[in-house]
Amino acid sequence: MMDREKLSFIVTVLIAITLCICLLAIIAALLFGLYDKRVDDGEVFKLLSPALMTIIGAAVGVLAGAKLQSNEKNCNAKI
């Protein structure tokens, strides 16, 4: 059986990997849009900014929630 710390570490690593892949995809789309003559630069930022903030916010929220939950379990175990 997996203990709680190992499971928390695995979830944290998977979230970090997913966040990295999403950020690379958004940055690639941003660079493609900036260097393509047919696309207006202002429109690229309008489209990708909310997506970038949503993905980063969700990943940070999940990581913070996982860490707080694991810290809460550790604190309850010490009492």
Side-chain angles (χ1 to χ4, degrees):
M1 296 283 279
M2 267 191 213
D3 60 341
R4 195 171 285 281
E5 288 180 15
K6 187 174 182 180
L7 184 62
S8 176
F9 176 74
I10 291 171
V11 168
T12 303
V13 169
L14 288 175
I15 291 171
I17 290 170
T18 304
L19 178 62
C20 289
I21 291 170
C22 289
L23 288 177
L24 287 174
I26 289 176
I27 290 171
L30 177 69
L31 290 175
F32 178 74
L34 286 176
Y35 290 109
D36 192 357
K37 301 285 185 204
R38 297 171 291 176
V39 179
D40 182 26
D41 293 345
E43 294 299 318
V44 171
F45 288 115
K46 277 190 213 175
L47 290 173
L48 292 180
S49 244
L52 184 64
M53 294 304 139
T54 302
I55 290 170
I56 290 174
V60 168
V62 169
L63 284 173
K67 290 298 177 185
L68 285 175
Q69 184 178 7
S70 69
N71 286 343
E72 183 179 304
K73 296 292 182 185
N74 290 339
C75 289
N76 289 340
K78 291 179 184 177
I79 294 176

